[in-house]
Amino acid sequence: LSYTVSPVPGVDMGFDQDDKYSFGRVTRYKAVTSGTDVVADLPSRQVLLGNQLPDGSVPDCIASVSWSHGNGALQFAEDGSLFVSAGDGAGIAGVDPGGLDPPGFDNWTHPKTGLKGPTPINQDSGAFRSQDLRSLAGKILRIDPETADGYPSNPFFDGDPASNPSRVWALGLRNPFRTIVFPGTGATDPSLGQPNVIAIGDVGWNAWEELNICTGAENFGWPCKEGFAANSTYQAFNPSSPAFPNCNTAMFGTQTDPIGSWPHSVLSGVQPPGIYMDEQGNPLPDFTGACSIGGTVYTGGSYPDIYDGRIFFGDWGGGFLKTVELDAGFGAVAIRPFGTGVGQIADIQRHPITGDLYYVKYLSSKVMHLRYVDPDGVQPYGCGVNPTGSLSVPDGGYYLGGSVEFELHNPLGTQAPGSATALGVSGAPDPAFPCGTLLPGFAMAGPLASGELLLSLAPGVQVMTLPGPTWQGAPVTLSVLVPNEPSLAGAGVYAQGVIIDPTFGGGSGAGIALTEAVELTIGA
């Protein structure tokens, strides 16, 4: 387990509650069976990193002197070593060169408790901890999971397995929140220093998000670099003490750029230029994000073969999933789109048996399952057209710039409460949704919805889909704004409602109810 220790034991409090500061810890427990459950054997608890001494100090802690960017991910390599990722533990509201949180460090004594701050004072350098081998923060660590010792095969091993430099595998990271282990790329003997290749989603600061490839000894540049560019803001600052590294001192490790970086602002472009393209190799407009979420490597399963070997990654702020195609040397060939509107994605994993992807939606507290459905081989179940009156709209009043209130009914009671609803609007001289075929990209929403309804349209027919609230057994109102476009005046517009019950047939397929199609004539 990797977690941040509350400054008030037993209470989930702020990182600096009453000047008692938090710190990062890694522990392990033995798993045992209790009836049909697998549980932790509490007496087996072993603190690997973050052992707090009676005086309050924690010499082997992962610095977490802020409310963000603390501990990240745990991943086992095939040689049995344990990768631990950790953020810089620095403040994010502005530049943090250290010296901003004196009670967080062990040269300070609490006036009430008499206890020292947790973090060693030789780490009071803010974001510059990422460049300091004396700190475990802003790093990828490679440790023995039984002892937390660093391996002699680690790149910065100094002769003492229990020293912080001996535990460091790579450095110069801001918030490596999620990491990815490439299966089959590592040796099985940890003494060789050849664990698996890993990819790192490093969360950016003001401008850039990163995806990095790590084989050991890399320095990814933070805080002196962000993305491919120099970080002029931090380069203008020095830490609180000349004993700390800054952007003008010699850096440890091999200076390494990300394989891909995307901006926070549309004024900048995805880097390297031209890497973002569709499956046919056509260039795509640049995308933006706000929180890189490293995911997983797809190594086969039910998905189309084009995804084999690709990295799947996301962005918490951008709410997207994308893939990275790699060459034999783990260089990026292309970043390609995969899914949008996935929400605040916090983790992505591949099922070890089926290969299907699962991801965590943080704010909605859900685990989502992404299945592949061959659109040529699947038909929706229970497709039925509701009778006259299933889609009602007020007479008249359809004019440019105005809104139309549609009311969706389900008079036959064909769908269960919690079903997804939507309205399709088309300018074609046919109903919007012919029954019995599939349409990619029509997302369903609601507590029982999963995946996408795949209704297919005739070639060239344009349909706008408007998701509605979930069906609860009463009419659903959907408001449509008529664009203030003169060419629409006098035009006929067709609308049709859809109710989708993903629990139909015990979950074997989506029960789809279609309303009648209603034609409107738009007035000027």
Side-chain angles (χ1 to χ4, degrees):
L1 303 176
S2 175
Y3 56 93
T4 301
V5 178
S6 171
V8 181
V11 182
D12 188 11
M13 305 296 285
F15 72 95
D16 59 351
Q17 180 74 27
D18 191 25
D19 284 332
K20 301 174 183 178
Y21 273 73
S22 60
F23 59 92
R25 172 177 281 167
V26 177
T27 64
R28 72 173 192 161
Y29 291 81
K30 182 180 180 181
V32 295
T33 55
S34 176
T36 59
D37 297 327
V38 178
V39 300
D41 177 21
L42 298 185
S44 71
R45 178 176 185 263
Q46 177 187 355
V47 177
L48 292 173
L49 297 173
N51 292 274
Q52 191 162 27
L53 302 181
D55 65 2
S57 64
V58 193
D60 64 344
C61 74
I62 299 173
S64 187
V65 199
S66 180
W67 57 270
S68 66
H69 298 178
N71 291 32
L74 300 176
Q75 298 274 11
F76 280 99
E78 290 169 356
D79 64 4
S81 60
L82 177 62
F83 288 123
V84 180
S85 72
D88 63 10
I92 65 172
V95 174
D96 183 356
L100 303 181
D101 304 283
F105 297 89
D106 63 6
N107 68 332
W108 187 87
T109 302
H110 198 284
K112 296 179 181 178
T113 66
L115 297 177
K116 296 179 178 180
T119 307
I121 186 59
N122 66 4
Q123 298 182 33
D124 188 11
S125 55
F128 290 100
R129 279 188 286 270
S130 296
Q131 291 295 327
D132 196 331
L133 291 178
R134 294 173 295 181
S135 174
L136 301 178
K139 310 292 194 304
I140 300 294
L141 313 177
R142 178 177 175 253
I143 61 173
D144 186 326
E146 294 188 13
T147 63
D149 285 346
Y151 290 93
S153 55
N154 280 354
F156 307 106
F157 187 80
D158 63 6
D160 177 8
S163 76
N164 282 352
S166 293
R167 295 167 167 142
V168 174
W169 185 247
L171 71 159
L173 294 158
R174 181 172 182 264
N175 183 15
F177 183 55
R178 292 290 181 257
T179 57
I180 306 166
V181 170
F182 285 85
T185 59
T188 57
D189 182 354
S191 68
L192 297 177
Q194 298 173 5
N196 300 67
V197 176
I198 61 175
I200 306 163
D202 195 22
V203 179
W205 185 38
N206 284 337
W208 294 97
E209 302 300 312
E210 295 182 10
L211 190 65
N212 299 282
I213 293 291
C214 175
T215 59
E218 290 90 355
N219 186 327
F220 296 103
W222 174 258
C224 303
K225 288 181 61 181
E226 188 179 16
F228 287 83
N231 186 0
S232 59
T233 304
Y234 264 100
Q235 289 190 346
F237 275 79
N238 287 311
S240 55
S241 166
F244 297 124
N246 60 34
C247 294
N248 297 312
T249 55
M251 290 185 173
F252 294 99
T254 304
Q255 306 304 299
T256 305
D257 287 330
I259 61 169
S261 183
W262 57 100
H264 293 187
S265 169
V266 294
L267 299 178
S268 306
V270 174
Q271 299 293 321
I275 198 170
Y276 188 44
M277 61 187 74
D278 64 18
E279 296 294 344
Q280 290 71 46
N282 302 307
L284 293 173
D286 291 322
F287 60 91
T288 61
C291 183
S292 175
I293 300 295
T296 190
V297 179
Y298 190 77
T299 56
S302 63
Y303 292 10
D305 292 343
I306 59 170
Y307 296 115
D308 290 355
R310 290 193 193 179
I311 294 174
F312 278 79
F313 73 97
D315 190 290
W316 191 92
F320 61 69
L321 277 169
K322 298 187 187 296
T323 71
V324 181
E325 184 180 343
L326 302 170
D327 60 24
F330 295 94
V333 174
I335 298 176
R336 304 188 193 274
F338 184 78
T340 58
V342 299
Q344 289 76 25
I345 188 168
D347 198 9
I348 312 161
Q349 296 292 337
R350 177 186 176 273
H351 193 285
I353 298 174
T354 67
D356 289 356
L357 297 185
Y358 290 74
Y359 69 90
V360 176
K361 290 182 69 172
Y362 176 71
L363 292 183
S364 61
S365 302
K366 292 181 179 179
V367 176
M368 310 299 287
H369 175 197
L370 298 181
R371 292 188 302 162
Y372 173 71
V373 179
D374 183 353
D376 294 326
V378 176
Q379 296 291 327
Y381 292 90
C383 191
V385 178
N386 278 330
T388 301
S390 54
L391 182 66
S392 60
V393 62
D395 293 331
Y398 326 128
Y399 54 89
L400 301 182
S403 62
V404 182
E405 300 288 331
F406 291 88
E407 197 170 71
L408 180 63
H409 300 259
N410 188 13
L412 296 182
T414 53
Q415 317 311 123
S419 297
T421 68
L423 185 75
V425 181
S426 174
D430 294 301
F433 296 121
C435 190
T437 52
L438 300 175
L439 166 78
F442 182 43
M444 296 192 296
L448 299 179
S450 61
E452 294 181 338
L453 170 67
L454 306 179
L455 287 170
S456 174
L457 300 176
V461 175
Q462 297 296 318
V463 172
M464 175 176 61
T465 58
L466 304 172
T470 58
W471 179 261
Q472 298 298 338
V476 167
T477 300
L478 301 100
S479 180
V480 179
L481 181 67
V482 181
N484 192 10
E485 173 56 54
S487 63
L488 293 177
V493 175
Y494 289 79
Q496 191 172 14
V498 189
I499 309 175
I500 313 103
D501 183 358
T503 66
F504 187 89
S508 60
I512 303 170
L514 300 176
T515 73
E516 62 180 328
V518 176
E519 181 181 8
L520 310 177
T521 301
I522 305 299

